[in-house]
Amino acid sequence: MRSEAAPQPGDLERFVSAGKGRGLRARRRYAVGELLFSCPAYASVLTVSERGSHCDGCFARKEDLSKCGRCKQAFYCNVECQKEDWPMHKLECSAMCTFGQSWNPSETVRLTARILAKQKTNPERTQSEKLLAVKEFESHLDKLDNEKRELIQNDIAALHHFYSKHLEYPDNDALVVLFAQVNCNGFTIEDEELSHLGSAIFPDVALMNHSCCPNVIVTYKGTLAEVRAVKEIEPGEEVFTSYIDLLYPTEDRNDRLRDSYFFNCDCRECVTKDKDKEKLEIRELNVPPSAQAVWDMIKYARNVIEEFRRAKHYKYILYHLFTGFLNYFIPPSELLEICELSLDKMGALFEDSNVYMLHMMYQAMGVCLYVQDWEGALRYGQKIIRPYSKHYPSYSLNVASMWLKLGRLYMTLENRTAGVKALKKAIAIMEVAHGKDHPYISEIKKELEDH
């Protein structure tokens, strides 16, 4: 298949966006599915749990990777990948040998260490910084509360503890700024099923502002970020991506934006709140629930979601397969029971299409996948997919990922007709979001051929 044409210099420009600061603007028309630009990672780090299945250098998913002869914990496609990654891997290699099982810096600390090393060895502007330099990143330092500042100080302490041999540290104030910049501008690299692969810095991608009705989507080809149009974009139009999961209602989305990025969104979706009623759908009951009863249930649902999110933030999770479900060191059977009890309680008022119900179904599906209860996972996935298709924007990776999971489950359960249909729906979205020549699409098409 012929590769798409490379974007031309000057097709996009940095500009001052009213009320938003810096932004990115199109200088020509872009069609749906067209590549606006790509950006190699300025720095990237593979998550520890994916070591052995993905190359630590290029993030390629392969079998029979070669391991680092010294630490035996980093894996590579070949000698070339290993040599290219050595300036970054050497930050950790000897430390992993020294600390053994006690080597456990957070992913944010690991990524920040690599940024410091990159700034030392490559002080000039890189290919990742054509429009925005790392040193220009917003830190929002003045908006950090005491809890966030304490977390940063903990990360700084870990940086000093685990990275003493190959790093030269700036002073504490400069490190606070850098960690704040990474927290606001870092990216999570995910695979085709949205499982977490690692973290990275993509400066030019970070230039884009947020909208809850974005006109582009960011996907990854290894450690290369690619930005494609999911709506037609006209000359002079600002390019918007989404910083957050768009499933949730307006108030929840803006709570998340304020907490992580320190602003409120004023996009059309947030101003009109058009989708909120459907996203918060209430059951038709003989006696309609009071407004207070509905509000109390919403608060309960938000608390459940925050518990899962907080666990992820503080690294209490380790098990993740397919959906990356959260495990508070509780046996899967008990975790599934927690999900089901939450669903029973919320289901007294909420329709199954209510986004809070969908959130808990997604977690339950993840548990079923982990314990290889394929029928149970399929039952949850079948309940999730249609509301997802209604609540998410067109060409959503969340919808594509769910069709993909369903297709693979159907194939596992030997329902080829339903499997082919689901996988083709996933491909249709991914060809726009990822580009028709993406390796993930080739892999899925091979799955179809093999079955």
Side-chain angles (χ1 to χ4, degrees), residues 87-284:
M88 296 295 111
H89 177 56
K90 74 177 182 181
L91 298 172
E92 300 180 344
C93 188
S94 59
M96 286 192 291
C97 295
T98 301
F99 285 97
Q101 294 297 315
S102 299
W103 186 85
N104 60 354
S106 71
E107 206 161 292
T108 300
V109 170
R110 296 177 64 209
L111 181 61
T112 305
R114 293 178 179 224
I115 294 170
L116 285 168
K118 183 73 171 277
Q119 289 175 338
K120 180 69 175 176
T121 58
N122 295 272
E124 302 300 320
R125 206 159 176 135
T126 67
Q127 283 294 104
S128 309
E129 303 170 284
K130 293 177 180 177
L131 296 168
L132 182 69
V134 170
K135 291 184 178 180
E136 293 182 276
F137 281 174
E138 289 282 358
S139 66
H140 298 290
L141 205 59
D142 59 323
K143 301 182 182 73
L144 299 182
D145 59 24
N146 289 335
E147 182 182 4
K148 287 185 170 64
R149 287 180 180 275
E150 184 177 345
L151 288 171
I152 287 176
Q153 290 298 337
N154 291 340
D155 281 340
I156 291 172
L159 184 74
H160 283 284
H161 181 63
F162 291 110
Y163 294 86
S164 58
K165 186 174 181 181
H166 297 288
L167 274 183
E168 294 181 17
Y169 302 103
D171 61 33
N172 189 78
D173 289 347
L175 284 174
V176 170
V177 170
L178 180 57
F179 272 104
Q181 289 173 322
V182 171
N183 289 337
C184 286
N185 295 278
F187 288 81
T188 296
I189 297 180
E190 297 169 323
D191 68 9
E192 76 276 25
E193 290 195 2
L194 303 187
S195 289
H196 180 78
L197 295 184
S199 299
I201 293 291
F202 298 101
D204 286 349
V205 182
L207 178 60
M208 293 186 292
N209 286 313
H210 165 85
S211 172
C212 297
C213 31
N215 52 16
V216 300
I217 199 163
V218 182
T219 56
Y220 304 99
K221 192 178 285 182
T223 56
L224 181 75
E226 297 186 324
V227 178
R228 284 184 172 79
V230 290
K231 296 179 181 178
E232 290 188 358
I233 302 174
E234 299 298 330
E237 191 175 343
E238 182 164 2
V239 177
F240 288 108
T241 186
S242 173
Y243 295 176
I244 56 170
D245 188 337
L246 296 175
L247 178 64
Y248 302 96
T250 304
E251 186 176 341
D252 295 43
R253 294 196 309 274
N254 276 283
D255 283 347
R256 180 76 186 278
L257 289 168
R258 281 192 300 272
D259 182 62
S260 298
Y261 303 101
F262 310 100
F263 70 87
N264 286 307
C265 182
D266 60 358
C267 73
R268 174 180 49 79
E269 196 69 51
C270 288
V271 171
T272 64
K273 302 183 181 181
D274 283 344
K275 291 187 176 182
D276 282 4
K277 186 175 180 181
E278 283 187 339
K279 289 184 175 185
L280 297 171
E281 193 169 1
I282 307 298
R283 289 193 181 279
E284 290 187 8

